[in-house]
Amino acid sequence: MKYNNKMPSAIRDIRTAPSLALRRILLLCAVTASLLGQGFLLAPRILNPILQPLSTLGAALPAIVVLCLSFFLYVSAVQRSTHKTALLWLFLGIQLSAIVGAISLTHGNGSHAQETGYAFSSIVTLLTNLGIFAVLQMNYAPLPTAAVDTNQAEATVKRLNGQVELLTQQLNAEKQRTTQLTYLNELSKQLEAELELEVAAQLAVNAIERAINCTLVSLMWHKPEEQSYVAITYAGKDATHIPSGYQQDSTTGVLGRVTQLKKSQIINDARLDPDFIALPGRSVISLISIPIMQHNKIRSVIEICSDAPYAFTREDIAIAEDIAGELTRAWERASYHQRLKELIRAGISLATLLDAQAAVQEIATIVRKTLKAHFVFISLLDQQGSFSRTASAGDAPKLLEGLQNAAHNETLLTAALNAKYPFRVRDARKYIRAGSLEIDRPTLRSAIAIPIRLHRLSIGAILAFGKQDGASFSEDDESLADLLSSQAAAAIESSWLYQELRNTLNTTAMLYQLSVDVIQAEEVSDAAKLISQAAHTLANSTETGVMLLSKQGAVEVEVEMDANGFHSRRERPQETIDQAIQTGQSIIISNDNGTLVCYPLLRSSETKGALWIKIPDNRGQNFASLQTLANQAAIALDRAILLAESRRQATELQKAYAELEITYDRTLKSLMSALDARDRETEGHSVRVSRLTCTLAVQLGWTEKQIKALERGALLHDIGKIGISDAILHKPDKLTDDEWKIMRAHPDIGARIVKDIPFLQETILVIRHHHERWNGSGYPLGLRAEEIPIEARIFAVADVFDALTSSRKYRERLPDEEALQYMQQHSGILFDPDIVVALTHVLNRRFAAEGNEQNESYQPTPEFL
């Protein structure tokens, strides 16, 4: 901007001190109003004491009013200036831009960003107003008659323009940083969920691509065994040009330097780097390579590419490394959760292992897999405090041999037994006594010791040596070790309980079988032999015997056996036996030759005999099991005698019941014969239809018990006619409607007659429903199809067929063939089709056998016939 170096004297004379003071007052008021309005709008919490009385006006109205007042004062101050007006308007525009930029910067961000924006806009406001003050001062300062130095004015403008440009750059940088932090925060929240490795990697790559101005972001997975990197996910406009499964050598180029140095590499101009390996078909000039480390090993590398030189700033590198850190933590959480899930599944499989040694071996395998250890050793204590069981997983023969040979004196194992919680050891050699153990290789130096505690007591210890993918075990490994300790204790306790239960079960099964065998023994001597054999096996004795006495005190049975079987040498300890019989108490005598045990055998509180056992001291014994066996033997002997008596009584009761049942059946036959005698036309009908009904039941595969109930129901089907008067029952003419109503009540009458007779309950179905028909035209309820009880459906077919083949005074009997044809015609109408088919099979066999019915049909008991 150029200024005229010659100003008219008239204008210079106009500038007076009062005019300058007025413009300064206007400008100070404008500055105060502007700062106050910006505070109302950008940081209301700071000016809350002033805003609170104005809260009834709304949240934004005070800010708008004050800013409008500020703008009016600025305009008034500028318009009163006669020179450098364009520069004053430029300062005013800068101030307005700062306010608008601060509002945009703080919009949608956290609360602290509002105060930051307010501070920034306030600084810009003060700077611009200082410029306005300077211009106003220049307008009203006394000027020499000579021209103003034009070069000095231009230098001032350039300096101010530079300051404006610098402030703009700082504003843009701060806005870009805020945006990057927002993307980082969003990614952190997304990675809090348990995601698969590839999904988490894609989210991280997408976040970098949005936060940094680049053309391509890729994540390269490190394969150290193949000395290569494989691209597993990428984002950016050049992502579509990356071939599937793209690989790079891990020993050359930028990736080679990253692998070797394990640090981030920044290339500002790849054209100047002779080791740079370009992507196929793409122009990459700027590059950032950030390694993702785990246990001091490179797991993967994030590459950020751009086709422009010097494309990335320090802020870009910092945000990329922050995103890489978030991805690393997400992968570590996912790995921990995966190992935890596998541990839970392994715990379920451990619960199914019932053998203690198998459980210990499986625990060693699970610990090695869960903790990713090179070698695992487990040792369990027995009841005497000795290491009874050991197991291992992994390859470390020297270390295994040393632990097995020096388990009782090994310092690290002892420390694990005495600990309450798992603990890590950076170098196991510090815990090893000189010469006791030999570490096979350096990778086994780190260790983690895990006590196995059951009910607050140590029952064993687990030692895991060497982390497979790291220098030492981590805190996550220690927490997993605590869970492993609990699962190992539960699995071992379960196997021990199972072994104890199995031993108890075997003893119980043996005692039960002894009871069964003794009860089934036909002779008392056989029972005594069985008791001797069981005691000999259970006690693993050298000599065993049983003596049983009669009620008169004489020796009734005497049995003795040794390792060679039964013998008759009579080497019994008579004095001890007599003492046990007299006192009724168990006697245990120990001497140099072993232990003599004698148990009295009691029967109904009366001494019956004794069981005596000689046991060597060196074999040990559980005398509670022997006492249980003696008690069981006495009970079995008692039951054997009672069973014999019960069998005799049961035989007599069975015979009496059979006679009673025959009497019942004879009574039923007599009753139905008397009922048939009321009507000569139906005489013998009940017996015939009962026989045919049973034959159909045999054809349908019914059991003998079912057929017996059906047979009785068939005999009693018309018992309800007892309640029908002879006038209706023997009426030669057609019955009236009222008479038919009475006649149709005989099924219900018959059911009421037998309902209170216990052994005739199953006959009610036939008695009450034998006049029901398949199409619902029957009575008394009009049941249809399978609503009719099957017993009544079978009887209905037999009843109608017998009626058709029997003579009546109003018609002649039909031949069997014509009666069968009638039944088949009404199959599915009046009768159950399946039962009609069964009748057809029965009659066809009868026709084929020419009336030899007795060989082909069911024969009721002779009493019914």
Side-chain angles (χ1 to χ4, degrees):
M1 182 182 296
K2 297 182 179 180
Y3 296 91
N4 188 1
N5 58 354
K6 294 183 178 180
M7 299 180 65
S9 60
I11 296 178
R12 288 198 303 271
D13 295 336
I14 292 175
R15 294 182 300 176
T16 62
S19 296
L20 178 60
L22 177 61
R23 283 162 178 75
R24 289 180 177 177
I25 292 172
L26 289 175
L27 187 59
L28 288 175
C29 293
V31 171
T32 304
S34 177
L35 293 176
L36 188 62
Q38 293 176 46
F40 287 162
L41 191 61
L42 296 177
R45 289 184 299 184
I46 296 177
L47 303 176
N48 189 50
I50 302 175
L51 277 176
Q52 190 171 3
L54 303 177
S55 59
T56 56
L57 300 178
L61 184 59
I64 295 174
V65 171
V66 175
L67 286 176
C68 290
L69 176 62
S70 172
F71 182 76
F72 174 77
L73 293 174
Y74 274 126
V75 171
S76 298
V78 171
Q79 286 182 342
R80 291 178 179 275
S81 175
T82 56
H83 292 284
K84 305 188 188 311
T85 304
L87 185 59
L88 294 175
W89 284 111
L90 176 62
F91 284 139
L92 183 59
I94 292 172
Q95 181 176 350
L96 293 177
S97 299
I99 296 174
V100 174
I103 294 174
S104 300
L105 178 65
T106 60
H107 181 68
N109 291 325
S111 58
H112 293 292
Q114 295 178 345
E115 284 76 1
T116 303
Y118 177 47
F120 177 77
S121 64
S122 300
I123 292 172
V124 174
T125 299
L126 292 175
L127 291 175
T128 53
N129 280 279
L130 287 175
I132 294 174
F133 267 114
V135 172
L136 291 177
Q137 183 68 29
M138 291 171 60
N139 285 342
Y140 292 98
L143 295 176
T145 55
V148 179
D149 189 356
T150 304
N151 293 333
Q152 183 178 0
E154 289 181 353
T156 302
V157 171
K158 289 181 180 179
R159 184 172 65 257
L160 292 175
N161 288 338
Q163 293 176 354
V164 171
E165 183 178 358
L166 179 60
L167 290 174
T168 303
Q169 291 177 356
Q170 292 176 351
L171 177 63
N172 292 335
E174 190 65 28
K175 186 176 182 179
Q176 176 68 15
R177 181 61 178 171
T178 302
T179 303
Q180 291 176 343
L181 292 176
T182 301
Y183 289 143
L184 178 62
N185 185 48
E186 291 178 357
L187 175 65
S188 179
K189 292 180 179 179
Q190 291 174 341
L191 294 181
E192 287 179 358
E194 187 175 349
L195 303 173
E196 294 183 359
L197 183 146
E198 291 81 1
V199 176
Q202 187 64 59
L203 290 175
V205 166
N206 292 343
I208 293 176
E209 192 270 335
R210 289 189 298 167
I212 300 176
N213 184 20
C214 58
T215 58
L216 176 66
V217 181
S218 63
L219 189 141
M220 311 290 289
W221 190 260
H222 187 210
K223 292 187 175 181
E225 65 280 358
E226 300 178 6
Q227 292 188 340
S228 65
Y229 285 91
V230 180
I232 62 171
T233 182
Y234 20 75
K237 66 179 183 180
D238 288 347
T240 56
H241 301 285
I242 302 299
S244 178
Y246 173 73
Q247 295 189 19
Q248 281 193 25
D249 188 8
S250 63
T251 60
T252 59
V254 178
L255 288 177
R257 291 205 299 266
V258 172
T259 306
Q260 183 179 3
L261 300 176
K262 298 180 181 179
K263 293 182 180 179
S264 299
Q265 298 294 310
I266 299 94
I267 306 298
N268 291 318
D269 193 342
R271 294 168 296 186
L272 304 178
D273 191 338
D275 296 333
F276 179 75
I277 300 176
L279 291 173
R282 306 309 304 164
S283 175
V284 176
I285 298 178
S286 297
L287 175 70
I288 303 175
S289 290
I290 302 174
I292 297 180
M293 309 292 294
Q294 188 176 24
H295 302 298
N296 202 31
K297 294 182 180 179
I298 296 180
R299 191 172 185 181
S300 60
V301 172
I302 295 178
E303 284 198 336
I304 309 170
C305 305
S306 176
D307 54 6
Y310 295 89
F312 304 117
T313 64
R314 294 181 178 179
E315 288 75 13
D316 294 336
I317 299 172
I319 197 67
E321 290 180 342
D322 290 341
I323 292 176
E326 288 290 340
L327 180 60
T328 302
R329 288 186 287 273
W331 281 351
E332 289 176 350
R333 288 195 300 269
S335 175
Y336 179 80
H337 291 159
Q338 182 63 29
R339 292 160 64 192
L340 187 59
K341 288 180 180 179
E342 292 177 355
L343 178 57
I344 294 173
R345 286 195 293 265
I348 296 174
S349 66
L350 277 177
T352 62
L353 296 177
L354 303 178
D355 180 69
Q357 185 59 43
V360 172
Q361 184 58 55
E362 183 65 17
I363 291 170
T365 303
I366 292 173
V367 170
R368 182 172 183 263
K369 181 179 180 182
T370 303
L371 299 182
K372 297 182 179 179
H374 286 291
F375 176 73
V376 172
F377 178 79
I378 299 180
S379 186
L380 289 185
L381 296 174
D382 56 17
Q383 294 180 350
Q384 288 72 34
S386 301
F387 291 99
S388 58
R389 287 187 175 90
T390 61
S392 63
D395 183 24
K398 296 179 181 179
L399 185 57
L400 175 61
E401 182 181 1
L403 288 170
Q404 289 177 336
N405 295 335
H408 293 84
N409 301 319
E410 180 48 51
T411 308
L412 184 57
L413 196 59
T414 303
L417 285 172
N418 295 331
K420 291 184 178 181
Y421 305 101
F423 61 90
R424 290 173 288 163
V425 177
R426 185 171 296 276
D427 192 343
R429 294 175 299 178
K430 297 179 180 179
Y431 277 84
I432 297 174
R433 294 185 300 107
S436 62
L437 293 181
E438 183 178 355
I439 301 294
D440 293 71
R441 50 190 180 275
T443 55
L444 298 175
R445 291 177 182 175
S446 64
I448 184 167
I450 309 170
I452 304 176
R453 296 175 61 83
L454 183 61
H455 305 305
R456 299 184 180 180
L457 296 176
S458 291
I459 62 172
I462 305 172
L463 299 179
F465 295 89
K467 185 72 173 177
Q468 292 180 7
D469 54 358
S472 60
F473 293 97
S474 63
E475 292 184 2
D476 288 344
D477 296 325
E478 193 171 330
S479 63
L480 289 175
D482 199 13
L483 293 176
L484 283 167
S485 175
S486 301
Q487 288 191 347
I492 293 168
E493 182 182 26
S494 177
S495 65
W496 282 353
L497 290 175
Y498 172 76
Q499 292 293 340
E500 182 178 351
L501 179 62
R502 187 171 65 177
N503 294 335
T504 303
L505 181 61
N506 290 339
T507 302
T508 304
M510 184 185 67
L511 295 177
Y512 172 76
Q513 189 62 41
L514 173 64
S515 300
V516 173
D517 294 341
V518 169
I519 292 173
Q520 293 178 350
E522 297 181 359
E523 300 292 339
V524 180
S525 59
D526 294 336
K529 288 182 179 180
L530 292 170
I531 294 171
S532 298
Q533 287 177 331
H536 189 77
T537 302
L538 182 61
N540 196 17
S541 61
T542 57
E543 192 82 15
T544 306
V546 172
M547 175 182 287
L548 300 178
L549 304 178
S550 64
K551 290 183 179 181
Q552 292 75 25
V555 177
E556 185 175 325
V557 175
E558 185 175 7
V559 174
E560 297 178 12
M561 69 175 299
D562 56 16
N564 298 320
F566 294 101
H567 63 81
S568 57
R569 294 194 297 270
R570 301 297 179 259
E571 299 177 351
R572 63 180 180 272
Q574 188 63 48
E575 183 179 353
T576 305
I577 294 174
D578 292 341
Q579 184 180 357
I581 293 175
Q582 291 173 5
T583 61
Q585 300 293 328
S586 302
I587 298 176
I588 301 176
I589 301 174
S590 298
N591 51 42
D592 295 338
N593 297 325
T595 302
L596 172 64
V597 185
C598 189
Y599 298 100
L601 300 179
L602 306 178
R603 175 179 176 266
S604 301
S605 301
E606 296 180 1
T607 301
K608 188 69 177 180
L611 167 66
W612 56 272
I613 309 168
K614 292 182 179 180
I615 307 171
D617 282 340
N618 58 352
R619 296 183 182 177
Q621 189 52 247
N622 184 358
F623 293 107
S625 298
L626 292 176
Q627 181 68 63
T628 303
L629 185 144
N631 296 339
Q632 194 74 15
I635 294 172
L637 287 171
D638 193 23
R639 287 181 178 176
I641 297 173
L642 292 176
L643 182 59
E645 182 67 18
S646 299
R647 285 173 181 168
R648 183 186 63 79
Q649 294 177 0
T651 302
E652 294 177 356
L653 288 174
Q654 187 176 9
K655 183 178 179 181
Y657 179 79
E659 292 178 357
L660 181 61
E661 191 172 12
I662 292 172
T663 302
Y664 283 154
D665 291 340
R666 285 176 179 173
T667 302
L668 292 179
K669 184 180 179 230
S670 300
L671 177 62
M672 295 315 301
S673 296
L675 184 61
D676 286 346
R678 297 181 65 193
D679 188 353
R680 293 294 179 182
E681 292 186 352
T682 61
E683 186 174 5
H685 168 69
S686 295
V687 174
R688 292 194 306 273
V689 76
S690 174
R691 182 179 299 161
L692 181 55
T693 299
C694 294
T695 303
L696 291 175
V698 171
Q699 178 67 31
L700 293 172
W702 281 35
T703 64
E704 185 175 351
K705 182 178 179 181
Q706 292 173 316
I707 295 174
K708 172 59 71 174
L710 184 61
E711 181 182 13
R712 289 174 177 169
L715 280 171
L716 296 173
H717 73 281
D718 276 340
I719 193 173
K721 288 184 179 180
I722 294 176
I724 307 299
S725 67
D726 289 345
I728 297 176
L729 192 63
H730 297 155
K731 184 178 181 179
D733 299 329
K734 183 177 180 180
L735 299 179
T736 64
D737 292 342
D738 291 338
E739 290 171 339
W740 263 115
K741 185 176 181 181
I742 295 173
M743 178 62 75
R744 289 180 176 180
H746 80 272
D748 288 328
I749 295 173
R752 288 197 298 271
I753 290 173
V754 302
K755 71 175 183 177
D756 295 327
I757 303 175
F759 82 102
L760 294 179
Q761 292 299 306
E762 295 178 344
T763 66
I764 294 177
L765 295 176
V766 174
I767 294 172
R768 190 159 191 252
H769 301 293
H770 68 277
H771 278 295
E772 301 286 358
R773 294 296 178 258
W774 187 261
N775 60 1
S777 61
Y779 63 88
L781 300 179
L783 301 179
R784 300 173 59 88
E786 294 183 357
E787 295 177 353
I788 307 169
I790 183 64
E791 295 87 350
R793 283 182 270 152
I794 296 174
F795 175 80
V797 172
D799 186 31
V800 173
F801 182 80
D802 182 77
L804 292 174
T805 55
S806 300
S807 296
R808 297 289 187 269
K809 61 184 179 180
Y810 50 84
R811 62 166 174 79
E812 294 292 330
R813 67 178 295 276
L814 292 178
D816 291 353
E817 292 82 354
E818 294 183 15
L820 177 60
Q821 185 177 4
Y822 173 84
M823 302 297 293
Q824 292 173 340
Q825 290 174 351
H826 291 81
S827 175
I829 301 174
L830 300 178
F831 312 112
D832 187 335
D834 295 335
I835 300 174
V836 174
V837 172
L839 176 65
T840 303
H841 290 318
V842 169
L843 294 179
N844 286 339
R845 289 201 303 271
R846 180 189 296 176
F847 300 151
E850 296 179 350
N852 188 13
E853 181 181 351
Q854 293 182 351
N855 295 331
E856 298 294 338
S857 64
Y858 170 79
Q859 296 299 312
T861 57
E863 290 74 11
F864 282 96
L865 302 179

